[in-house]
Amino acid sequence: MQNKQYKRTLVTTALPYANGPVHIGHLAGVYVPADIYVRYLRLQGREVLFVGGSDEHGVPVTQRARKEGITPQQVVDRYHELIKQSFQEFGISYDIYSRTTSQTHHQFAAEFFRKLYDEGKLIEKTTKQFYDEIDGKFLTDRDVEGECPYCHHPAAKGNQCEDGCGRDLDPTELINPHAKDSDHPLVLKDTTNWFLPLNEYEPWLKEWILEQHQEWRPNVYGQCKSWLDNGLQPRAMTRDLDWGIPVPIEGADGKVLYVWFDAPIGYISNTKELCEQQPNRWGTWQQWWQDADTRLIHFIGKDNIVFHCIIFPTMMRAHGDYIMPDNVPANEFLNLEGEKISTSRNWAVWLHEYLRDFPGKQDVLRYVLTACAPETKDNDFTWDDFQARNNYELVAILGNFVNRAMVLTHKYFDGKIPALGTLTDYDLQTLAEFKDVKQTLSDNIEGFHLREALKDALNLARIGNKYLADTEPWKLAKTDMARVETVMHVALQICANLAIAFEPFLPFSAQRLRQMLGMAQVQWDKLGTIDILTPGSTIEKPELLFEKLPDEVIQKQKDRLEHIKQENFLKNFKPKPVASACSYEDFAKLDIRVGRVVQCEKVKKAKKLLKFCIDDGMGCRTIVSGIALYYQPEDLLGKEVCFIANFPPRPLMGIESQGMILSAEDADGRLVVIGPTGEVRPGVQVK
């Protein structure tokens, strides 16, 4: 319950699929918020365990393996390491990041399932499933595609219309269902699996969620209520698949544990793995998962709400030995430049590529993703906003204040922290502005309002900037150095407060700031005070915490996305329908000829027009054509082109155009001039 005092906190994050890298949508929705929260708890000196890992089973992995012609194990080995290293470099401070292909996990998940089976908590059920008679195997939901019956998107998957209306689907609902990766005919065939009877736990779920956890985020509570109001049905916990944890039941050959049964158990097995490695540090895994004094928090995206709030808790309830999550602060989705992030379309900013392109700027991305976090509704990441927040907030507000305070200290006091003298009314007013920052920050972080908490931290830097601007120590230095000592002492103490306040959000920058100030790691309790730094201590020479991002750096990222957009457009290009029938006699009226470009120049005051002199075999013919956006005049000199010779002349920008040059409009709208593939004489007709 929300008002209970717990001895310890267990924080988990959704396990990313090890079939591809992590992108900014994952970071904003799950991993950055979780890391902020965990770092905050550690600063308070509270006992916390942060658990993550890779989800290495399920259909997406097998699909990637088929696509690349390698084994599923090779896929997950590659991406597990890439994801793990990216998280480490980005500062996601897991206590353990393991994987669901580990021996510990396989054994633990199998034993968990077997206990439910032996106690009669699962039901055996035969259903119809699409079967590929040529390959001799059942197809999973994601292996089947077809037209969505609701929005009629042509490529809806069997489990969800991901790129259309977003509805959950059953493969049998699809219009014209077919195998995703082949043209093999499909038939519906009986198959037996084991189901978790969610309907039997519906009364308990309603009490636990709808009555006891009304403090959960509206999107989480609302989605759970919708599922419960519509009535729960048994859910399959096994699948017909050859990649995963084999179902530990005699006669279940060719079946594995459903990935959504298998994956969340990874939180427990990863905890067990860590506790067995370091028992003196972490104790037993049971105290983290089965002790009522442990608070369990799941950080996830909104697409995982039903699994973490209904299915996984029901699994643990059926088992009987486990605590329930106290909160599930799920975020909405982050879009990219106004469009939904899509791994299949490569429409994403990938973490490992960001770390390569922006070395040493982990905190910039952490800051921006927190500032635009989709906490209550879908939000948008743009490179222009990324640049603006870096240049006008991190550089101009936070970095500027810290640098000014430290530079002035070196200028007037040789880098030694001056003593605090008599405080003026204005000093006391300034101190009063941030004395409550600890409580405000704590309230917002505890309530998972991390965007507001970040604003609170940045406001502390605004207070510091205003303090220096109003007191003007550079002017006071001419007449009252005693006053300058007090001003700079207060300014440096604000810097120390910033090092604490920003540590959960910007750990790399906070560490650099502490080092420059000569601070040891301090506790959250010191936030809001002005006795963090000791007078007479020496500070290091200042280094800029942040640097401006020039337009060309941002433009490079925008150009990359534009290139991806064009690639996707061309890949999905479909020709326009054929025009209505035209008789041969009508076509024969057109006199299409070949001409050679003798002269070509741009038409003044017309961006799209080029003026041609075409050798048509009988002289020079003037033609004006709207292809200037796609060709330079010199590109076409000497080229042979096709043109319609018997169109009546028409004036264009004061020039009489005596025909029409033929061009094809490509899928991206680009015009390409049509001409013969071999050399022919000017004036010959096209037949």
Side-chain angles (χ1 to χ4, degrees):
M1 299 294 293
Q2 66 179 122
N3 295 321
K4 178 178 176 177
Q5 297 299 311
Y6 293 90
K7 290 183 179 179
R8 66 191 72 84
T9 303
L10 172 61
V11 175
T12 73
T13 57
L15 307 184
Y17 270 133
N19 72 319
V22 169
H23 57 62
I24 58 170
H26 301 131
L27 296 173
V30 177
Y31 305 106
V32 170
D35 190 66
I36 291 170
Y37 186 70
V38 167
R39 287 178 180 272
Y40 159 75
L41 294 180
R42 290 177 183 146
L43 266 181
Q44 288 195 315
R46 288 154 69 175
E47 188 176 9
V48 57
L49 175 59
F50 191 17
V51 177
S54 297
D55 182 356
E56 299 178 304
H57 298 131
V59 179
V61 171
T62 61
Q63 290 177 337
R64 168 73 71 168
R66 285 199 302 268
K67 181 179 179 181
E68 298 187 14
I70 57 179
T71 67
Q73 189 65 53
Q74 288 173 309
V75 170
V76 299
D77 285 347
R78 179 208 305 165
Y79 286 112
H80 169 71
E81 287 304 317
L82 176 62
I83 294 169
K84 184 177 181 179
Q85 291 173 11
S86 297
F87 278 152
Q88 288 175 346
E89 188 176 345
F90 194 58
I92 306 299
S93 55
Y94 287 114
D95 293 306
I96 183 170
Y97 187 86
S98 193
R99 55 196 306 187
T100 59
T101 56
S102 72
Q103 184 177 353
T104 298
H105 176 71
H106 270 238
Q107 181 179 347
F108 195 96
E111 290 174 353
F112 194 109
F113 181 92
R114 185 71 200 205
K115 183 176 188 295
L116 298 188
Y117 175 81
D118 288 342
E119 294 179 356
K121 301 294 180 61
L122 301 173
I123 59 176
E124 188 174 316
K125 189 176 178 182
T126 299
T127 60
K128 291 189 180 297
Q129 188 171 329
F130 282 113
Y131 186 80
D132 184 329
E133 291 187 303
I134 295 178
D135 286 342
K137 65 178 184 180
F138 284 100
L139 298 186
T140 64
D141 299 351
R142 294 178 65 92
D143 282 324
V144 181
E145 284 189 350
E147 182 181 333
C148 175
Y150 301 100
C151 71
H152 299 286
H153 189 281
K157 293 182 173 62
N159 64 331
Q160 186 184 38
C161 184
E162 287 186 358
D163 296 322
C165 61
R167 289 200 190 209
D168 289 330
L169 299 172
D170 184 277
T172 58
E173 292 183 87
L174 295 174
I175 300 171
N176 298 321
H178 57 272
K180 181 178 182 294
D181 296 323
S182 75
D183 57 358
H184 296 175
L186 303 181
V187 296
L188 284 172
K189 187 175 179 179
D190 286 345
T191 183
T192 299
N193 282 289
W194 286 267
F195 287 66
L196 183 65
L198 297 175
N199 50 303
E200 295 179 11
Y201 296 85
E202 194 173 301
W204 167 73
L205 286 165
K206 286 182 175 180
E207 169 67 21
W208 173 59
I209 298 175
L210 303 185
E211 299 298 326
Q212 299 180 22
H213 285 291
Q214 296 182 22
E215 81 282 3
W216 284 4
R217 282 184 172 172
N219 62 328
V220 179
Y221 187 88
Q223 191 176 134
C224 291
K225 187 175 186 304
S226 176
W227 273 74
L228 291 168
D229 287 348
N230 289 329
L232 300 178
Q233 301 298 322
R235 184 103 178 196
M237 294 293 107
T238 62
R239 285 287 191 267
D240 293 275
L241 198 64
D242 56 4
W243 173 248
I245 299 175
V247 174
I249 299 174
E250 298 75 11
D253 296 341
K255 299 181 188 295
V256 299
L257 300 183
Y258 175 38
V259 68
W260 273 111
F261 182 94
D262 155 22
I265 292 174
Y267 302 141
I268 312 172
S269 64
N270 291 350
T271 306
K272 181 175 186 288
E273 182 180 325
L274 177 65
C275 291
E276 290 177 347
Q277 291 171 354
Q278 303 177 48
N280 293 333
R281 169 69 178 86
W282 297 107
T284 66
W285 70 265
Q286 287 92 343
Q287 83 175 16
W288 291 100
W289 282 97
Q290 298 179 348
D291 188 333
D293 285 326
T294 298
R295 186 186 189 205
L296 173 60
I297 309 289
H298 294 310
F299 280 87
I300 60 170
K302 70 176 178 181
D303 52 336
N304 290 343
I305 289 173
V306 64
F307 299 106
H308 287 79
C309 297
I310 293 180
I311 297 176
F312 186 38
T314 300
M315 289 164 50
M316 295 194 292
R317 177 79 172 183
H319 190 284
D321 296 330
Y322 290 92
I323 60 174
M324 294 297 124
D326 185 60
N327 210 318
V328 186
N331 276 347
E332 300 291 290
F333 288 152
L334 184 73
N335 296 323
L336 173 59
E337 300 285 353
E339 296 184 21
K340 181 180 177 181
I341 291 176
S342 171
T343 57
S344 62
R345 294 187 295 113
N346 194 29
W347 187 253
V349 176
W350 304 103
L351 176 57
H352 69 292
E353 292 183 351
Y354 174 88
L355 294 170
R356 178 199 65 201
D357 294 343
F358 294 89
K361 291 183 170 52
Q362 294 96 322
D363 282 348
V364 179
L365 185 57
R366 289 176 66 106
Y367 179 88
V368 174
L369 293 180
T370 305
C372 67
E375 291 180 351
T376 56
K377 62 180 181 180
D378 290 357
N379 213 341
D380 197 30
F381 175 95
T382 71
W383 281 111
D384 286 339
D385 182 63
F386 176 86
Q387 181 186 29
R389 290 189 182 277
N390 176 83
N391 292 355
Y392 302 124
E393 295 178 11
L394 290 177
V395 173
I397 298 175
L398 175 56
N400 177 63
F401 168 68
V402 169
N403 191 62
R404 290 170 76 195
M406 297 189 70
V407 166
L408 290 172
T409 301
H410 274 275
K411 180 177 181 179
Y412 298 127
F413 305 108
D414 296 325
K416 294 187 182 300
I417 299 172
L420 178 66
T422 302
L423 294 172
T424 66
D425 288 343
Y426 183 71
D427 295 337
L428 294 172
Q429 177 185 333
T430 299
L431 299 180
E433 286 187 55
F434 73 83
K435 68 180 178 64
D436 295 329
V437 66
K438 179 179 69 175
Q439 188 62 51
T440 305
L441 267 170
S442 294
D443 288 346
N444 276 324
I445 295 177
E446 294 278 7
F448 307 106
H449 306 303
L450 303 183
R451 285 190 313 188
E452 290 303 313
L454 185 66
K455 291 178 183 177
D456 295 334
L458 187 64
N459 189 55
L460 188 56
R462 295 183 194 275
I463 292 171
N465 272 313
K466 185 176 186 300
Y467 180 72
L468 284 182
D470 290 347
T471 54
E472 298 181 310
W474 47 90
K475 291 185 179 179
L476 289 171
K478 299 175 182 177
T479 57
D480 191 351
M481 284 303 296
R483 175 63 183 148
V484 175
E485 288 186 8
T486 296
V487 169
M488 295 317 304
H489 181 95
V490 170
L492 290 173
Q493 296 288 3
I494 294 176
C495 288
N497 273 267
L498 287 168
I500 302 172
F502 273 105
E503 200 284 334
F505 305 96
L506 312 178
F508 299 94
S509 304
Q511 182 180 11
R512 287 175 59 203
L513 180 53
R514 289 197 307 271
Q515 182 179 343
M516 287 191 291
L517 292 172
M519 292 172 62
Q521 178 71 47
V522 294
Q523 297 300 314
W524 190 256
D525 285 346
K526 299 299 291 183
L527 189 58
T529 68
I530 58 167
D531 61 352
I532 302 171
L533 302 177
T534 304
S537 300
T538 301
I539 64 173
E540 295 182 0
K541 288 188 176 181
E543 298 177 357
L544 293 177
L545 289 178
F546 308 99
E547 60 183 7
K548 281 193 172 184
L549 291 170
D551 291 345
E552 56 268 23
V553 170
I554 299 302
Q555 189 60 48
K556 183 178 179 181
Q557 297 299 324
K558 292 161 72 174
D559 290 345
R560 170 188 165 272
L561 289 177
E562 183 60 32
H563 178 69
I564 290 171
K565 184 180 291 186
Q566 291 298 323
E567 281 188 333
N568 287 328
F569 183 82
L570 293 174
K571 185 168 60 177
N572 297 316
F573 168 73
K574 291 184 178 179
K576 295 179 181 178
V578 175
S580 57
C582 170
S583 69
Y584 178 81
E585 288 75 14
D586 287 338
F587 174 75
K589 293 177 182 178
L590 294 176
D591 188 354
I592 304 175
R593 300 201 177 206
V594 175
R596 182 176 290 115
V597 179
V598 178
Q599 295 177 9
C600 184
E601 61 185 25
K602 291 185 177 181
V603 176
K604 293 180 180 179
K605 300 181 181 180
K607 293 182 179 180
K608 296 182 179 180
L609 299 182
L610 291 180
K611 177 185 176 183
F612 290 84
C613 177
I614 302 291
D615 177 5
D616 63 1
M618 296 172 284
C620 185
R621 176 188 294 256
T622 299
I623 297 180
V624 177
S625 180
I627 58 174
L629 296 179
Y630 312 101
Y631 289 96
Q632 294 298 319
E634 57 269 22
D635 296 337
L636 295 167
L637 286 175
K639 302 291 184 182
E640 291 176 333
V641 299
C642 294
F643 68 94
I644 299 176
N646 61 337
F647 274 178
R650 56 180 294 203
L652 288 172
M653 295 295 291
I655 304 169
E656 184 178 76
S657 181
Q658 302 166 328
M660 175 186 288
I661 293 176
L662 298 183
S663 59
E665 184 179 5
D666 203 358
D668 58 1
R670 182 170 50 94
L671 295 179
V672 180
V673 170
I674 303 298
T677 57
E679 185 175 350
V680 297
R681 292 181 179 275
V684 301
Q685 289 184 306
V686 176
K687 299 293 187 179

Short mmCIF file of all heavy atoms in Angstrom, two decimals, residues 4 35 68 85 124 126 186 212 274 287 301 325 333 390 398 413 431 439 449 537 549 551 558 580 619 658 679:
data_model
loop_
_atom_site.label_atom_id
_atom_site.label_comp_id
_atom_site.label_asym_id
_atom_site.label_seq_id
_atom_site.Cartn_x
_atom_site.Cartn_y
_atom_site.Cartn_z
N LYS A 4 2.54 2.59 3.40
CA LYS A 4 3.34 1.67 4.21
C LYS A 4 4.81 2.06 4.16
O LYS A 4 5.32 2.51 3.14
CB LYS A 4 3.15 0.24 3.70
CG LYS A 4 4.00 -0.78 4.45
CD LYS A 4 3.77 -2.19 3.97
CE LYS A 4 4.70 -3.16 4.69
NZ LYS A 4 4.48 -4.56 4.31
N ASP A 35 16.30 4.81 -13.72
CA ASP A 35 17.63 5.12 -13.20
C ASP A 35 17.60 6.37 -12.33
O ASP A 35 18.29 6.43 -11.30
CB ASP A 35 18.61 5.31 -14.37
CG ASP A 35 20.05 5.40 -13.90
OD1 ASP A 35 20.56 4.38 -13.38
OD2 ASP A 35 20.66 6.48 -14.04
N GLU A 68 18.34 -13.02 -41.13
CA GLU A 68 19.79 -12.92 -41.29
C GLU A 68 20.44 -14.26 -41.61
O GLU A 68 21.65 -14.31 -41.87
CB GLU A 68 20.42 -12.33 -40.02
CG GLU A 68 19.95 -10.91 -39.72
CD GLU A 68 20.72 -10.28 -38.57
OE1 GLU A 68 21.77 -10.83 -38.18
OE2 GLU A 68 20.28 -9.24 -38.06
N GLN A 85 26.24 -3.10 -23.01
CA GLN A 85 27.31 -2.11 -23.08
C GLN A 85 26.77 -0.70 -23.27
O GLN A 85 27.29 0.26 -22.69
CB GLN A 85 28.27 -2.47 -24.22
CG GLN A 85 29.08 -3.73 -23.96
CD GLN A 85 29.90 -4.15 -25.17
OE1 GLN A 85 30.04 -3.41 -26.14
NE2 GLN A 85 30.45 -5.36 -25.12
N GLU A 124 -5.65 -27.09 -19.28
CA GLU A 124 -5.26 -27.58 -20.61
C GLU A 124 -6.40 -27.27 -21.58
O GLU A 124 -7.56 -27.54 -21.30
CB GLU A 124 -4.99 -29.07 -20.54
CG GLU A 124 -4.39 -29.66 -21.80
CD GLU A 124 -4.02 -31.13 -21.62
OE1 GLU A 124 -3.45 -31.46 -20.56
OE2 GLU A 124 -4.34 -31.92 -22.53
N THR A 126 -7.54 -26.95 -25.92
CA THR A 126 -7.24 -27.15 -27.35
C THR A 126 -7.89 -26.03 -28.15
O THR A 126 -9.08 -25.75 -28.01
CB THR A 126 -7.76 -28.51 -27.83
OG1 THR A 126 -7.09 -29.54 -27.10
CG2 THR A 126 -7.47 -28.69 -29.32
N LEU A 186 -1.87 -21.73 -45.65
CA LEU A 186 -2.09 -21.98 -44.23
C LEU A 186 -3.43 -22.68 -44.01
O LEU A 186 -4.39 -22.44 -44.75
CB LEU A 186 -2.08 -20.66 -43.44
CG LEU A 186 -0.83 -19.79 -43.56
CD1 LEU A 186 -0.98 -18.54 -42.71
CD2 LEU A 186 0.42 -20.56 -43.16
N GLN A 212 -7.36 -0.84 -3.99
CA GLN A 212 -6.18 -0.57 -3.17
C GLN A 212 -5.14 0.32 -3.85
O GLN A 212 -4.24 0.83 -3.18
CB GLN A 212 -5.51 -1.89 -2.76
CG GLN A 212 -6.39 -2.79 -1.92
CD GLN A 212 -5.69 -4.08 -1.55
OE1 GLN A 212 -4.46 -4.17 -1.55
NE2 GLN A 212 -6.47 -5.10 -1.20
N LEU A 274 22.18 -12.70 -8.82
CA LEU A 274 23.00 -11.71 -8.11
C LEU A 274 23.20 -12.10 -6.65
O LEU A 274 24.33 -12.01 -6.13
CB LEU A 274 22.33 -10.33 -8.20
CG LEU A 274 23.03 -9.20 -7.45
CD1 LEU A 274 24.40 -8.91 -8.05
CD2 LEU A 274 22.17 -7.93 -7.45
N GLN A 287 14.22 -12.54 0.19
CA GLN A 287 13.88 -11.33 0.93
C GLN A 287 13.47 -10.20 0.00
O GLN A 287 12.72 -9.31 0.38
CB GLN A 287 15.04 -10.90 1.84
CG GLN A 287 16.13 -10.09 1.17
CD GLN A 287 17.18 -9.60 2.15
OE1 GLN A 287 17.28 -10.08 3.27
NE2 GLN A 287 17.97 -8.63 1.71
N GLY A 301 6.74 0.57 -20.31
CA GLY A 301 6.00 1.39 -21.26
C GLY A 301 4.54 0.97 -21.26
O GLY A 301 4.18 -0.10 -20.74
N PRO A 325 3.52 -5.90 -6.98
CA PRO A 325 4.08 -4.57 -7.23
C PRO A 325 3.27 -3.49 -6.50
O PRO A 325 2.04 -3.52 -6.51
CB PRO A 325 3.98 -4.42 -8.75
CG PRO A 325 2.96 -5.41 -9.18
CD PRO A 325 3.05 -6.54 -8.21
N PHE A 333 4.06 6.79 -25.08
CA PHE A 333 5.06 6.60 -26.12
C PHE A 333 5.74 7.92 -26.49
O PHE A 333 5.12 8.98 -26.45
CB PHE A 333 4.44 6.00 -27.38
CG PHE A 333 4.04 4.56 -27.24
CD1 PHE A 333 3.00 4.04 -27.98
CD2 PHE A 333 4.71 3.72 -26.37
CE1 PHE A 333 2.63 2.71 -27.87
CE2 PHE A 333 4.35 2.38 -26.24
CZ PHE A 333 3.30 1.88 -26.99
N ASN A 390 19.79 21.97 -24.99
CA ASN A 390 21.22 21.95 -24.68
C ASN A 390 21.77 23.37 -24.62
O ASN A 390 22.43 23.77 -23.65
CB ASN A 390 21.98 21.14 -25.72
CG ASN A 390 23.49 21.17 -25.48
OD1 ASN A 390 24.02 20.41 -24.68
ND2 ASN A 390 24.20 22.05 -26.18
N LEU A 398 22.42 26.31 -16.51
CA LEU A 398 23.19 25.52 -15.55
C LEU A 398 24.69 25.72 -15.72
O LEU A 398 25.39 26.11 -14.77
CB LEU A 398 22.83 24.04 -15.70
CG LEU A 398 23.61 23.04 -14.84
CD1 LEU A 398 23.52 23.39 -13.36
CD2 LEU A 398 23.12 21.62 -15.10
N PHE A 413 39.91 35.04 -5.36
CA PHE A 413 40.34 34.34 -4.15
C PHE A 413 41.28 33.18 -4.44
O PHE A 413 41.40 32.26 -3.62
CB PHE A 413 39.12 33.86 -3.35
CG PHE A 413 38.15 34.95 -3.03
CD1 PHE A 413 36.92 35.01 -3.67
CD2 PHE A 413 38.47 35.94 -2.11
CE1 PHE A 413 36.03 36.02 -3.39
CE2 PHE A 413 37.57 36.96 -1.82
CZ PHE A 413 36.34 37.01 -2.47
N LEU A 431 18.38 32.60 -0.17
CA LEU A 431 18.47 31.30 0.49
C LEU A 431 17.09 30.72 0.75
O LEU A 431 16.88 29.50 0.66
CB LEU A 431 19.24 31.43 1.81
CG LEU A 431 20.70 31.91 1.69
CD1 LEU A 431 21.35 31.98 3.06
CD2 LEU A 431 21.50 30.99 0.78
N GLN A 439 12.57 19.11 -0.36
CA GLN A 439 11.23 18.57 -0.19
C GLN A 439 10.48 18.54 -1.51
O GLN A 439 9.78 17.57 -1.84
CB GLN A 439 10.46 19.40 0.84
CG GLN A 439 9.12 18.79 1.23
CD GLN A 439 9.27 17.43 1.88
OE1 GLN A 439 10.04 17.27 2.83
NE2 GLN A 439 8.55 16.44 1.38
N HIS A 449 6.90 12.15 -10.80
CA HIS A 449 6.73 13.33 -11.65
C HIS A 449 8.13 13.86 -11.97
O HIS A 449 8.56 14.91 -11.47
CB HIS A 449 5.89 14.39 -10.94
CG HIS A 449 4.57 13.89 -10.44
ND1 HIS A 449 3.63 13.31 -11.27
CD2 HIS A 449 4.03 13.89 -9.19
CE1 HIS A 449 2.58 12.97 -10.55
NE2 HIS A 449 2.80 13.30 -9.29
N SER A 537 38.81 25.71 1.55
CA SER A 537 39.11 24.61 0.64
C SER A 537 39.35 25.14 -0.77
O SER A 537 38.81 26.18 -1.16
CB SER A 537 37.96 23.60 0.63
OG SER A 537 37.74 23.07 1.92
N LEU A 549 25.81 23.16 -29.15
CA LEU A 549 25.76 22.27 -30.31
C LEU A 549 25.49 23.12 -31.55
O LEU A 549 24.45 23.78 -31.64
CB LEU A 549 24.65 21.23 -30.15
CG LEU A 549 24.89 20.17 -29.07
CD1 LEU A 549 23.62 19.37 -28.83
CD2 LEU A 549 26.04 19.26 -29.46
N ASP A 551 24.67 24.23 -35.52
CA ASP A 551 23.59 23.83 -36.43
C ASP A 551 23.99 22.65 -37.31
O ASP A 551 23.18 21.78 -37.59
CB ASP A 551 23.19 25.02 -37.32
CG ASP A 551 22.50 26.12 -36.53
OD1 ASP A 551 22.09 25.86 -35.39
OD2 ASP A 551 22.39 27.24 -37.06
N LYS A 558 19.30 15.39 -38.71
CA LYS A 558 18.04 15.59 -39.43
C LYS A 558 18.13 15.04 -40.85
O LYS A 558 17.16 14.46 -41.36
CB LYS A 558 17.69 17.08 -39.44
CG LYS A 558 17.33 17.60 -38.05
CD LYS A 558 17.43 19.10 -37.93
CE LYS A 558 16.32 19.81 -38.66
NZ LYS A 558 16.36 21.27 -38.40
N SER A 580 -7.56 5.57 -67.51
CA SER A 580 -8.64 5.01 -68.33
C SER A 580 -8.14 4.72 -69.74
O SER A 580 -7.16 5.31 -70.21
CB SER A 580 -9.83 5.97 -68.38
OG SER A 580 -9.43 7.23 -68.89
N GLY A 619 16.38 22.16 -87.27
CA GLY A 619 16.76 23.47 -86.77
C GLY A 619 16.78 23.44 -85.25
O GLY A 619 16.87 22.39 -84.62
N GLN A 658 7.87 25.41 -77.61
CA GLN A 658 7.43 24.73 -78.84
C GLN A 658 7.45 23.21 -78.67
O GLN A 658 7.95 22.49 -79.53
CB GLN A 658 8.34 25.16 -80.00
CG GLN A 658 8.34 26.66 -80.24
CD GLN A 658 9.46 27.11 -81.15
OE1 GLN A 658 10.55 26.51 -81.15
NE2 GLN A 658 9.23 28.16 -81.93
N GLU A 679 22.56 6.07 -79.17
CA GLU A 679 22.60 7.31 -79.96
C GLU A 679 21.74 7.16 -81.22
O GLU A 679 21.85 6.17 -81.95
CB GLU A 679 24.05 7.64 -80.36
CG GLU A 679 24.19 8.98 -81.07
CD GLU A 679 25.63 9.35 -81.34
OE1 GLU A 679 26.53 8.65 -80.79
OE2 GLU A 679 25.86 10.31 -82.09
#
